[in-house]
């Protein structure tokens, strides 16, 4: 057994990072997967592979409800698999259908809780047209939209096994939580 894995004796086979868009799930997920020697999965990227179109195109051509059904289906497929992984979920994934229950029953969920102010700054630096919930907003409207999403989604996020809060969350903040 690799030494990095032996330091975490009860490593969950599936680790799910949840939180608002721009909270750092993908960045942290890639680092964590590399450290644990397991594959990294980005749920949105997996949806795009199966649908053979971008998330933005799915929202525009098929609607958000269609996207949410597809998202739930693909999430459940990964949860039912024997595959080990670290997954960055979409920001809304835990909030639809029974996704949060499925996530918690399948592995370890970690809520990456970054302030709306910090997230707004991060999202302003990215391409808004790659984020369907933000693409038609002016940058001045971002913080209000993020605060609204946070208020709607917080009851689901708070169901996570682990909550990590801060302006910047690092891989070393996550590692000690994996055995708790």
């Amino acid at each position: 057994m690799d030494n990095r894995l032996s330091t975490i004796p009860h490593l969950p086979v599936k680790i799910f990072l949840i939180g608002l868009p721009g909270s750092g799930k993908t960045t942290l997920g890639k680092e964590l997967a590399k450290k644990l020697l397991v594959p990294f999965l980005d749920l949105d990227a997996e949806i795009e592979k199966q649908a053979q179109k971008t998330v933005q195109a799915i929202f525009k051509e098929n609607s958000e409800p269609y996207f949410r059904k597809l998202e739930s289906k693909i999430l459940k497929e990964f949860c039912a698999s024997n595959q080990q992984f670290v997954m960055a979920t979409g920001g809304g994934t835990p909030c639809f259908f029974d996704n949060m229950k499925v996530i918690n029953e399948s592995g370890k969920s970690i809520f990456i809780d970054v302030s709306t102010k910090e997230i707004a700054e991060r999202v302003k630096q990215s391409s808004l047209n790659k984020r369907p919930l933000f693409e038609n907003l002016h940058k001045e409207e971002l913080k209000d939209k993020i605060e609204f999403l946070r208020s709607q989604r917080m009851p689901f996020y708070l169901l996570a096994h682990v909550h990590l809060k801060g302006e910047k969350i690092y891989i070393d903040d996550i590692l000690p939580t994996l055995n708790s």
Side-chain angles (χ1 to χ4, degrees):
M1 183 186 238
D2 184 282
N3 282 345
R4 287 178 280 188
L5 294 179
S6 65
T7 61
I8 305 173
H10 303 293
L11 176 68
V13 291
K14 294 173 174 55
I15 299 169
F16 301 87
L17 301 180
I18 66 169
L20 287 168
S23 61
K25 301 179 301 284
T26 299
T27 302
L28 288 166
K30 287 177 181 176
E31 289 178 40
L32 183 59
K34 185 176 178 182
K35 184 93 168 171
L36 299 177
L37 304 174
V38 297
F40 169 74
L41 301 173
D42 180 295
L43 185 56
D44 283 348
E46 296 300 325
I47 293 166
E48 290 179 342
K49 276 188 218 171
Q50 282 199 29
Q52 297 185 339
K53 57 175 102 170
T54 65
V55 169
Q56 297 76 12
I58 296 168
F59 266 68
K60 283 181 184 168
E61 296 167 20
N62 303 102
S63 77
E64 183 178 358
Y66 175 86
F67 171 81
R68 295 300 177 189
K69 287 178 188 169
L70 184 59
E71 175 184 58
S72 185
K73 175 186 167 285
I74 294 170
L75 172 71
K76 289 172 182 171
E77 288 170 4
F78 279 106
C79 288
S81 76
N82 291 326
Q83 184 179 1
Q84 294 185 0
F85 56 76
V86 173
M87 177 184 282
T89 67
T93 304
C95 310
F96 293 88
F97 307 105
D98 58 348
N99 291 348
M100 195 62 207
K101 181 179 185 236
V102 170
I103 286 169
N104 280 338
E105 290 174 353
S106 301
K108 172 84 88 172
S109 57
I110 301 172
F111 171 32
I112 307 300
D113 188 5
V114 176
S115 75
T116 54
K117 180 182 176 198
E118 176 66 23
I119 290 173
E121 288 305 313
R122 292 177 187 182
V123 172
K124 282 179 191 175
Q125 305 306 316
S126 68
S127 297
L128 293 183
N129 64 347
K130 291 186 177 180
R131 298 181 182 270
L133 296 178
F134 302 142
E135 74 177 329
N136 294 319
L137 295 177
H138 295 295
K139 290 190 177 188
E140 308 80 52
E141 299 172 301
L142 267 177
K143 190 167 181 282
D144 288 341
K145 176 69 172 184
I146 293 165
E147 285 175 356
F148 173 76
L149 288 174
R150 179 182 173 81
S151 70
Q152 296 296 306
R153 295 175 174 184
M154 191 57 78
F156 299 95
Y157 293 163
L158 291 175
L159 297 173
H161 295 121
V162 175
H163 303 185
L164 296 175
K165 187 176 179 106
E167 296 301 300
K168 303 258 191 271
I169 296 170
Y170 300 95
I171 192 78
D172 289 337
D173 299 323
I174 295 175
L175 290 172
T177 71
L178 297 181
N179 282 325
S180 58

Short mmCIF file of all heavy atoms in Angstrom, two decimals, residues 121-150:
data_model
loop_
_atom_site.label_atom_id
_atom_site.label_comp_id
_atom_site.label_asym_id
_atom_site.label_seq_id
_atom_site.Cartn_x
_atom_site.Cartn_y
_atom_site.Cartn_z
N GLU A 121 -15.76 37.83 -6.28
CA GLU A 121 -14.47 38.28 -6.84
C GLU A 121 -13.88 37.22 -7.76
O GLU A 121 -13.37 37.54 -8.83
CB GLU A 121 -13.48 38.63 -5.72
CG GLU A 121 -13.84 39.91 -4.98
CD GLU A 121 -13.98 41.11 -5.91
OE1 GLU A 121 -13.10 41.33 -6.78
OE2 GLU A 121 -14.99 41.84 -5.79
N ARG A 122 -13.95 35.97 -7.34
CA ARG A 122 -13.41 34.88 -8.18
C ARG A 122 -14.19 34.75 -9.48
O ARG A 122 -13.60 34.59 -10.55
CB ARG A 122 -13.49 33.55 -7.42
CG ARG A 122 -12.56 33.45 -6.24
CD ARG A 122 -12.75 32.13 -5.52
NE ARG A 122 -11.99 32.08 -4.28
CZ ARG A 122 -11.96 31.02 -3.49
NH1 ARG A 122 -12.65 29.93 -3.79
NH2 ARG A 122 -11.24 31.04 -2.38
N VAL A 123 -15.51 34.79 -9.38
CA VAL A 123 -16.35 34.61 -10.57
C VAL A 123 -16.15 35.77 -11.53
O VAL A 123 -16.15 35.58 -12.75
CB VAL A 123 -17.83 34.42 -10.17
CG1 VAL A 123 -18.74 34.43 -11.39
CG2 VAL A 123 -18.01 33.11 -9.40
N LYS A 124 -15.95 36.98 -11.01
CA LYS A 124 -15.71 38.14 -11.88
C LYS A 124 -14.46 37.94 -12.73
O LYS A 124 -14.37 38.46 -13.83
CB LYS A 124 -15.53 39.42 -11.05
CG LYS A 124 -16.81 40.01 -10.54
CD LYS A 124 -16.53 41.26 -9.71
CE LYS A 124 -17.76 41.72 -8.98
NZ LYS A 124 -17.47 42.86 -8.07
N GLN A 125 -13.50 37.17 -12.21
CA GLN A 125 -12.24 36.93 -12.93
C GLN A 125 -12.39 35.83 -13.99
O GLN A 125 -11.51 35.63 -14.79
CB GLN A 125 -11.13 36.53 -11.94
CG GLN A 125 -10.89 37.50 -10.81
CD GLN A 125 -10.63 38.92 -11.26
OE1 GLN A 125 -9.88 39.14 -12.20
NE2 GLN A 125 -11.26 39.89 -10.60
N SER A 126 -13.50 35.09 -13.94
CA SER A 126 -13.71 33.99 -14.90
C SER A 126 -14.65 34.44 -16.00
O SER A 126 -15.18 35.55 -15.98
CB SER A 126 -14.27 32.77 -14.17
OG SER A 126 -15.59 33.01 -13.73
N SER A 127 -14.87 33.57 -16.94
CA SER A 127 -15.81 33.86 -18.03
C SER A 127 -17.23 33.58 -17.54
O SER A 127 -17.59 32.43 -17.29
CB SER A 127 -15.51 32.97 -19.23
OG SER A 127 -14.24 33.25 -19.74
N LEU A 128 -18.03 34.63 -17.42
CA LEU A 128 -19.40 34.46 -16.95
C LEU A 128 -20.23 33.62 -17.92
O LEU A 128 -21.14 32.91 -17.49
CB LEU A 128 -20.07 35.82 -16.75
CG LEU A 128 -19.52 36.69 -15.63
CD1 LEU A 128 -20.34 37.98 -15.51
CD2 LEU A 128 -19.50 35.96 -14.31
N ASN A 129 -19.89 33.65 -19.20
CA ASN A 129 -20.67 32.88 -20.17
C ASN A 129 -20.46 31.37 -20.01
O ASN A 129 -21.19 30.58 -20.60
CB ASN A 129 -20.37 33.32 -21.60
CG ASN A 129 -18.94 33.06 -22.00
OD1 ASN A 129 -18.08 32.76 -21.18
ND2 ASN A 129 -18.68 33.19 -23.29
N LYS A 130 -19.50 30.94 -19.19
CA LYS A 130 -19.31 29.52 -18.92
C LYS A 130 -20.10 29.08 -17.69
O LYS A 130 -20.06 27.92 -17.31
CB LYS A 130 -17.83 29.21 -18.72
CG LYS A 130 -17.02 29.34 -19.99
CD LYS A 130 -15.60 28.89 -19.79
CE LYS A 130 -14.85 28.99 -21.10
NZ LYS A 130 -13.47 28.54 -20.96
N ARG A 131 -20.80 30.00 -17.06
CA ARG A 131 -21.59 29.71 -15.87
C ARG A 131 -23.03 30.10 -16.16
O ARG A 131 -23.38 31.28 -16.08
CB ARG A 131 -21.04 30.46 -14.67
CG ARG A 131 -19.59 30.06 -14.33
CD ARG A 131 -19.10 30.82 -13.13
NE ARG A 131 -17.73 30.52 -12.80
CZ ARG A 131 -17.35 29.54 -11.97
NH1 ARG A 131 -18.24 28.79 -11.40
NH2 ARG A 131 -16.08 29.34 -11.71
N PRO A 132 -23.89 29.13 -16.49
CA PRO A 132 -25.24 29.45 -16.97
C PRO A 132 -26.07 30.30 -16.01
O PRO A 132 -26.88 31.10 -16.46
CB PRO A 132 -25.90 28.08 -17.16
CG PRO A 132 -24.82 27.08 -17.12
CD PRO A 132 -23.62 27.70 -16.50
N LEU A 133 -25.86 30.15 -14.72
CA LEU A 133 -26.67 30.94 -13.77
C LEU A 133 -26.19 32.38 -13.65
O LEU A 133 -26.87 33.22 -13.08
CB LEU A 133 -26.66 30.27 -12.39
CG LEU A 133 -27.31 28.89 -12.32
CD1 LEU A 133 -27.18 28.30 -10.92
CD2 LEU A 133 -28.77 28.94 -12.74
N PHE A 134 -25.00 32.67 -14.19
CA PHE A 134 -24.44 34.01 -14.09
C PHE A 134 -24.26 34.71 -15.43
O PHE A 134 -23.96 35.89 -15.47
CB PHE A 134 -23.05 33.96 -13.42
CG PHE A 134 -23.04 33.37 -12.04
CD1 PHE A 134 -22.00 32.56 -11.63
CD2 PHE A 134 -24.06 33.61 -11.13
CE1 PHE A 134 -21.96 32.01 -10.36
CE2 PHE A 134 -24.03 33.07 -9.86
CZ PHE A 134 -22.99 32.27 -9.47
N GLU A 135 -24.46 34.01 -16.54
CA GLU A 135 -24.06 34.55 -17.84
C GLU A 135 -24.79 35.81 -18.27
O GLU A 135 -24.25 36.60 -19.02
CB GLU A 135 -24.12 33.48 -18.92
CG GLU A 135 -25.50 33.10 -19.37
CD GLU A 135 -25.47 32.09 -20.50
OE1 GLU A 135 -24.52 32.10 -21.30
OE2 GLU A 135 -26.41 31.30 -20.59
N ASN A 136 -26.00 36.03 -17.82
CA ASN A 136 -26.74 37.23 -18.24
C ASN A 136 -26.68 38.36 -17.21
O ASN A 136 -27.39 39.34 -17.34
CB ASN A 136 -28.20 36.87 -18.55
CG ASN A 136 -28.30 35.96 -19.75
OD1 ASN A 136 -27.59 36.13 -20.73
ND2 ASN A 136 -29.17 34.96 -19.66
N LEU A 137 -25.82 38.20 -16.23
CA LEU A 137 -25.71 39.21 -15.18
C LEU A 137 -24.58 40.19 -15.47
O LEU A 137 -23.57 39.83 -16.08
CB LEU A 137 -25.40 38.54 -13.83
CG LEU A 137 -26.45 37.61 -13.23
CD1 LEU A 137 -25.91 37.00 -11.95
CD2 LEU A 137 -27.73 38.37 -12.96
N HIS A 138 -24.76 41.41 -15.01
CA HIS A 138 -23.66 42.37 -15.00
C HIS A 138 -22.82 42.04 -13.77
O HIS A 138 -23.34 41.53 -12.77
CB HIS A 138 -24.19 43.80 -14.92
CG HIS A 138 -24.96 44.19 -16.13
ND1 HIS A 138 -24.39 44.30 -17.37
CD2 HIS A 138 -26.27 44.48 -16.28
CE1 HIS A 138 -25.32 44.65 -18.24
NE2 HIS A 138 -26.47 44.76 -17.62
N LYS A 139 -21.55 42.35 -13.84
CA LYS A 139 -20.65 42.00 -12.72
C LYS A 139 -21.11 42.61 -11.40
O LYS A 139 -20.89 42.04 -10.35
CB LYS A 139 -19.22 42.39 -13.06
CG LYS A 139 -18.64 41.50 -14.15
CD LYS A 139 -17.17 41.68 -14.34
CE LYS A 139 -16.70 40.67 -15.41
NZ LYS A 139 -15.28 40.62 -15.54
N GLU A 140 -21.81 43.74 -11.45
CA GLU A 140 -22.29 44.39 -10.22
C GLU A 140 -23.42 43.58 -9.57
O GLU A 140 -23.70 43.74 -8.38
CB GLU A 140 -22.81 45.81 -10.50
CG GLU A 140 -21.87 46.73 -11.25
CD GLU A 140 -21.87 46.49 -12.76
OE1 GLU A 140 -22.94 46.47 -13.40
OE2 GLU A 140 -20.76 46.30 -13.28
N GLU A 141 -24.09 42.75 -10.35
CA GLU A 141 -25.21 41.95 -9.84
C GLU A 141 -24.78 40.61 -9.26
O GLU A 141 -25.58 39.91 -8.64
CB GLU A 141 -26.21 41.67 -10.97
CG GLU A 141 -26.82 42.92 -11.58
CD GLU A 141 -27.64 42.59 -12.81
OE1 GLU A 141 -27.07 42.02 -13.78
OE2 GLU A 141 -28.84 42.91 -12.81
N LEU A 142 -23.52 40.24 -9.46
CA LEU A 142 -23.04 38.93 -9.07
C LEU A 142 -23.21 38.63 -7.59
O LEU A 142 -23.71 37.58 -7.21
CB LEU A 142 -21.56 38.78 -9.41
CG LEU A 142 -21.23 38.18 -10.75
CD1 LEU A 142 -19.74 38.17 -10.97
CD2 LEU A 142 -21.80 36.80 -10.88
N LYS A 143 -22.77 39.55 -6.73
CA LYS A 143 -22.81 39.28 -5.30
C LYS A 143 -24.24 39.02 -4.83
O LYS A 143 -24.49 38.09 -4.05
CB LYS A 143 -22.18 40.43 -4.50
CG LYS A 143 -21.98 40.09 -3.03
CD LYS A 143 -21.09 41.11 -2.35
CE LYS A 143 -20.87 40.76 -0.90
NZ LYS A 143 -21.98 41.09 -0.03
N ASP A 144 -25.20 39.79 -5.33
CA ASP A 144 -26.61 39.58 -4.95
C ASP A 144 -27.10 38.20 -5.41
O ASP A 144 -27.79 37.50 -4.66
CB ASP A 144 -27.51 40.67 -5.55
CG ASP A 144 -27.32 42.01 -4.87
OD1 ASP A 144 -26.78 42.06 -3.74
OD2 ASP A 144 -27.72 43.03 -5.47
N LYS A 145 -26.75 37.82 -6.63
CA LYS A 145 -27.16 36.51 -7.14
C LYS A 145 -26.52 35.39 -6.31
O LYS A 145 -27.18 34.40 -5.97
CB LYS A 145 -26.76 36.38 -8.62
CG LYS A 145 -27.06 35.02 -9.23
CD LYS A 145 -28.55 34.76 -9.37
CE LYS A 145 -28.80 33.49 -10.14
NZ LYS A 145 -30.21 33.24 -10.40
N ILE A 146 -25.26 35.54 -5.98
CA ILE A 146 -24.56 34.53 -5.18
C ILE A 146 -25.17 34.44 -3.79
O ILE A 146 -25.37 33.34 -3.26
CB ILE A 146 -23.04 34.81 -5.14
CG1 ILE A 146 -22.46 34.61 -6.55
CG2 ILE A 146 -22.33 33.93 -4.12
CD1 ILE A 146 -21.07 35.19 -6.74
N GLU A 147 -25.51 35.58 -3.20
CA GLU A 147 -26.15 35.56 -1.88
C GLU A 147 -27.52 34.90 -1.94
O GLU A 147 -27.90 34.15 -1.04
CB GLU A 147 -26.26 36.98 -1.31
CG GLU A 147 -24.93 37.50 -0.82
CD GLU A 147 -24.96 38.95 -0.36
OE1 GLU A 147 -26.01 39.63 -0.48
OE2 GLU A 147 -23.91 39.41 0.13
N PHE A 148 -28.25 35.13 -3.02
CA PHE A 148 -29.55 34.48 -3.19
C PHE A 148 -29.37 32.96 -3.31
O PHE A 148 -30.06 32.19 -2.63
CB PHE A 148 -30.27 35.03 -4.43
CG PHE A 148 -31.53 34.28 -4.75
CD1 PHE A 148 -32.68 34.48 -4.01
CD2 PHE A 148 -31.56 33.35 -5.79
CE1 PHE A 148 -33.85 33.77 -4.28
CE2 PHE A 148 -32.72 32.63 -6.07
CZ PHE A 148 -33.86 32.84 -5.32
N LEU A 149 -28.45 32.53 -4.16
CA LEU A 149 -28.19 31.10 -4.31
C LEU A 149 -27.77 30.48 -2.97
O LEU A 149 -28.23 29.40 -2.62
CB LEU A 149 -27.09 30.85 -5.35
CG LEU A 149 -27.47 31.08 -6.81
CD1 LEU A 149 -26.25 30.95 -7.71
CD2 LEU A 149 -28.57 30.13 -7.25
N ARG A 150 -26.91 31.18 -2.25
CA ARG A 150 -26.44 30.68 -0.96
C ARG A 150 -27.63 30.48 -0.01
O ARG A 150 -27.74 29.44 0.65
CB ARG A 150 -25.43 31.64 -0.35
CG ARG A 150 -24.91 31.22 1.01
CD ARG A 150 -23.93 32.28 1.56
NE ARG A 150 -23.55 31.98 2.90
CZ ARG A 150 -22.62 31.11 3.26
NH1 ARG A 150 -21.97 30.44 2.34
NH2 ARG A 150 -22.34 30.89 4.52
#
